[in-house]
Structures are given as C-alpha cells and as structure tokens.
C-alpha cells in the first residue's frame, strides 16, 4: 500500500506492507488524514533512523478487517481514530503508557492503519471525510485546554494568540458556543478577518500593543500555544487571579517571566496536553450538538503530502490541512 514515511532522514511516498489486525485490533481503510504541527517535528526527532515510519496522527476511514475479540465495531463502519493512545478515563495528567499515534507506532498517512479497537470512535454523521479526519487531535487538545484545565464559563473573556492555528480554529467556536467572549490575535490581516467570521469578537495584530488596543480591558482566561513570542504579553492582558493554560510552544519552549509580578497578580498557570477518551467523547457530543464543522483550510492528495508539510511549515493555513487518501 501507499504511505508517506520518514526514513533515513528523508520524507517520501513509498510502497509498504499492508498491516493486519491482531487480537483486539482493527484495520481501517483511510479515506482522509489530518496534519498537525507535531508531524513537522517528528523528522527532527528521528534524525536518520533507518526504519521507515508512517507519519500521521489524525485520520478517518472505514473498518476493513477486525482481529479476534473486538466488540462494538463491524466491517464497513465509518470511524475516526483517537490518536491519544491508552488514555481512556479523565485524569489530571496522561497515564503511564500514553503515546500519540504516528510515533513510535505507524500513523495515518497511508491507505491503511492498524489500531486497537479502543482507539476508534464512530464518525460524526454531519461531517465529510476531510472534516472528520482533522477533528481528533486538535479538537481534543482544544477541548481539554479550554473546558477541563481552563474551566471556561459563560460570560468569561478568553484570549487566544495565534488565531490561524489548527487548535485555535476549535477554541474559537467552542468558547463562543458556551457564551464566552473571544479575543484573538494573528499576524495576518486575512486570518484576523477569518477569525471574526468564525465568531471571535475582537481580532488584533499579534505584534501590536494589546494593552493599548484593549484599552486596559483584561481577560479571564488565556489559552497559549505560541510560546516565547507571546507568553509575557498574554500575561499582561490577564486579570489578576486569572488563568493561563499552555499546551504548545510554537515559537520556542523557554520563556523568562517576572515571578514577583506573577505572584502579586495571583495568576494561575496550567499545562495541558491532548486529552482522555472521555474528553474526546464529550468534545464529539459538543460538536454534534452545535453541528460544529471544523475549518479545513485546504486538502492535498496523499501523493502531495510533502507540499502539505511545506504549506503547514510556512504557517499559511487558517485552521486544518487535510490529506485525501482514498474514496
Ligand atoms: N500538547 C498538545 O497536546 C498539543 C496538541 C496540539 C498542538 N500542540 C502544539 O500547539 C501549537 C499549535 O498547534 P497547531 O497544530 O494548532 O499549530 P499550527 O496550526 O501550525 O499554528 C501555529 C500558529 O502559531 C502562530 N505563530 C507561528 N509562528 C509565530 C510567530 N513567530 N509569532 C507569532 N505567532 C506565530 C500562527 O498564528 P497566525 O498565523 O494566526 O499568526 C500559527 O498559525 C504547536 O506548538 C503544537 O505543537 C500541542
């Protein structure tokens, strides 16, 4: 079968052996897959590892074969794949054994993938294949950061730097759906307009002076993933006693901040990553209830996966990027 792999430092489309389902596993024939920033980081992390690894965490498709002992799924079922491996019940942090699909296990950028049946959810009926394929990783990360860790409530003001990000394209509608006010930033004027179309109340340029633009309005909750480029300025617009949730660091992991200002402000800082299956199911129920459709910026064919990587690397997207695989 055809797959997009990382092998000996090189990304390429390659013919690889088809997977088969062992006990408790299911082979899914992938219709579409979704890109995440994580996919860009993996080649660096693997260096020149000789074994070909199929990349990709997100995907949706049709159950093609089933191993012994699998219950609840039949051949032909339409499913999405939960990439948060072995994290089922809600917990403060992922359990031992947690991993993300796409490294070290083979991922979704292929005609077929084998996963444990416990990692499958029924495909939301109101979504197309490309839409369903991009939901799980970003939607889940967004849902946990905003609701579980951020404890967002109706009437809160939520601040999201980097509106163009795949995860932000879920944060904005989730927060709006429950009656929060949403303020975003983006480097691009076009993306600021798209964020307003998606429901954001205010969209500012990322490198403008936010305290001036907001005329000293402060926010209850910051959801940060841009990292060093915005972290301290995000703290500047947070109310005293407010909450800041961090789940990413696109522009560098290391940040200096003023501890005295932090403790006098009685700010609350939370780390978050992906989420449990329980949270994924709550997120899917939320999307179903609001008939929420993810923002798919564009779709590439599996053969063109390198172009999709280049597009994501340049940060041109608003929302998610899909790979069409079959059907
Ligand atoms: N912990 C987890 O479980 C988890 C899960 C998903 C993602 N993440 C992390 O969260 C981050 C966002 O993920 P994603 O997939 O949504 O990423 P993405 O789609 O690539 O978006 C990143 C966004 O960051 C902003 N940005 C990039 N470079 C910037 C710069 N130099 N200055 C200011 N803003 C900049 C851009 O927003 P504008 O174009 O609007 O300016 C860009 O769209 C990544 O770091 C990712 O690794 C973590």
């Amino acid at each position: 079968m055809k797959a997009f792999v990382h092998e000996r430092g090189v990304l390429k489309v390659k013919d690889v052996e088809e997977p088969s389902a062992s006990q408790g596993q299911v082979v899914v024939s992938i219709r579409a897959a979704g890109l995440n920033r994580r996919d860009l980081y993996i080649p660096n992390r693997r260096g020149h590892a000789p074994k070909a690894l199929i990349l990709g965490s997100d995907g949706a498709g049709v159950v093609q074969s089933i191993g012994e002992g699998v219950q609840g799924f039949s051949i032909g079922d339409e499913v999405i794949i939960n990439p948060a491996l072995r994290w089922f019940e809600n917990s403060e942090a992922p359990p031992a054994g947690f991993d993300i699909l796409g490294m070290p296990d083979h991922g979704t950028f292929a005609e077929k993938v084998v996963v444990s049946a416990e990692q499958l959810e029924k495909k939301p009926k109101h979504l197309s294949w490309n839409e369903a394929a991009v939901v799980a990783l970003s939607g889940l990360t967004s849902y946990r950061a905003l609701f579980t860790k951020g404890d967002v409530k109706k009437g809160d003001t939520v601040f999201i730097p980097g509106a163009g990000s795949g995860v932000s394209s879920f944060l904005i509608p989730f927060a709006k759906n429950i009656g929060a006010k949403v303020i975003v930033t983006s480097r691009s004027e076009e993306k600021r307009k798209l964020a307003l179309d998606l429901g954001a109340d205010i969209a500012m340029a990322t490198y403008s002076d936010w305290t001036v633009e907001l005329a000293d309005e402060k926010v209850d909750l910051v959801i940060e993933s841009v990292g060093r480029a915005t972290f301290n300025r995000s703290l500047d617009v947070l109310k005293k006693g407010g909450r800041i949730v961090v789940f990413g660091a696109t522009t560098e992991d290391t940040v200096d901040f003023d501890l005295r200002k932090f403790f006098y402000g009685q700010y609350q800082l939370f780390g978050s990553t992906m989420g449990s299956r329980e949270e994924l199911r709550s997120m899917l129920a939320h999307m179903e209830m609001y008939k929420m459709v993810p923002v798919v910026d564009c779709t590439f064919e599996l053969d063109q996966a390198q172009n999709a990587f280049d597009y994501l690397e340049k940060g041109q997207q608003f929302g998610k990027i899909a790979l069409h695989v079959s059907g």
Side-chain angles (χ1 to χ4, degrees):
M1 67 169 184
K2 206 190 312 175
F4 187 63
V5 303
H6 181 256
E7 182 178 31
R8 296 184 191 279
V10 176
L11 287 168
K12 59 186 171 189
V13 176
K14 183 181 177 180
D15 269 324
V16 300
E17 207 176 308
E18 290 202 5
S20 58
S22 306
Q23 172 115 19
Q25 292 183 319
V26 169
V27 172
V28 177
S29 169
I30 298 286
R31 293 285 181 266
L35 260 73
N36 292 286
R37 185 148 280 275
R38 174 176 197 271
D39 303 317
L40 295 180
Y41 299 151
I42 287 176
N44 260 347
R45 286 164 64 184
R46 295 189 84 233
H48 283 260
K51 193 168 166 273
L53 173 75
I54 302 171
L55 301 184
S57 302
D58 273 333
V62 177
V63 171
Q64 189 196 287
S65 62
I66 290 179
E68 267 180 49
V70 169
Q71 287 178 345
F73 289 98
S74 314
I75 290 170
D77 281 353
E78 298 188 345
V79 294
I80 63 167
I81 294 163
N82 170 9
L85 303 180
R86 297 172 285 274
W87 186 1
F88 301 121
E89 273 81 49
N90 284 340
S91 54
E92 287 300 326
F98 165 73
D99 248 319
I100 302 173
L101 186 67
M103 190 178 90
D105 296 346
H106 287 309
T108 53
F109 297 166
E111 290 173 307
K112 284 164 199 162
V113 66
V114 65
V115 289
S116 161
E118 294 182 302
Q119 300 300 142
L120 297 184
E121 300 296 329
K122 296 267 153 70
K123 169 182 167 285
K125 286 197 170 56
H126 70 289
L127 301 183
S128 69
W129 283 116
N130 287 347
E131 290 161 354
V134 303
V135 159
L137 194 149
S138 291
L140 176 57
T141 304
S142 163
Y143 194 87
R144 180 174 172 85
L146 187 67
F147 292 109
T148 311
K149 296 284 186 168
D151 194 24
V152 68
K153 293 180 205 69
K154 185 176 178 183
D156 279 354
T157 300
V158 184
F159 182 68
I160 307 164
S165 120
V167 183
S168 300
S169 69
F170 287 87
L171 288 167
I172 297 168
F174 283 159
K176 287 307 296 177
N177 288 344
I178 61 107
K181 177 176 177 180
V182 173
I183 303 175
V184 302
T185 81
S186 177
R187 295 163 299 169
S188 138
E189 191 177 344
E190 195 193 335
K191 291 187 193 180
R192 292 197 288 278
K193 189 177 168 311
L194 290 169
L196 294 171
D197 292 346
L198 194 57
D201 297 280
I202 298 174
M204 302 185 289
T206 301
Y207 291 102
S208 66
D209 186 336
W210 303 336
T211 51
V212 171
E213 288 211 36
L214 292 177
D216 291 327
E217 176 182 355
K218 298 283 182 183
V219 308
D220 301 283
L221 173 63
V222 174
I223 308 285
E224 247 297 340
S225 68
V226 176
R228 190 180 177 90
T230 54
F231 183 86
N232 270 302
R233 292 190 300 130
S234 291
L235 268 181
D236 287 341
V237 298
L238 186 60
K239 264 182 197 161
K240 287 203 160 56
R243 311 177 296 285
I244 179 161
V245 179
V246 179
F247 67 84
T250 305
T251 59
E252 277 190 55
D253 295 4
T254 310
V255 173
D256 291 323
F257 67 99
D258 184 335
L259 276 178
R260 190 163 302 275
K261 202 163 120 190
F262 192 86
F263 66 71
Y264 277 143
Q266 309 241 351
Y267 302 113
Q268 305 172 73
L269 175 61
F270 300 89
S272 192
T273 207
M274 302 282 289
S276 66
R277 185 172 63 186
E278 274 187 78
E279 288 165 310
L280 179 74
R281 288 177 177 171
S282 301
M283 185 273 283
L284 291 171
H286 178 115
M287 289 190 71
E288 176 67 40
M289 185 158 81
Y290 290 95
K291 290 286 171 275
M292 201 177 125
V293 175
V295 182
V296 180
D297 176 284
C298 59
T299 304
F300 293 80
E301 294 299 316
L302 179 60
D303 281 331
Q304 306 299 320
Q306 182 62 61
N307 296 350
F309 271 54
D310 295 343
Y311 187 76
L312 180 62
E313 177 90 64
K314 288 187 193 128
Q316 291 170 321
Q317 81 290 354
F318 181 86
K320 300 295 299 177
I321 300 167
L323 286 183
H324 170 256
V325 178
S326 68

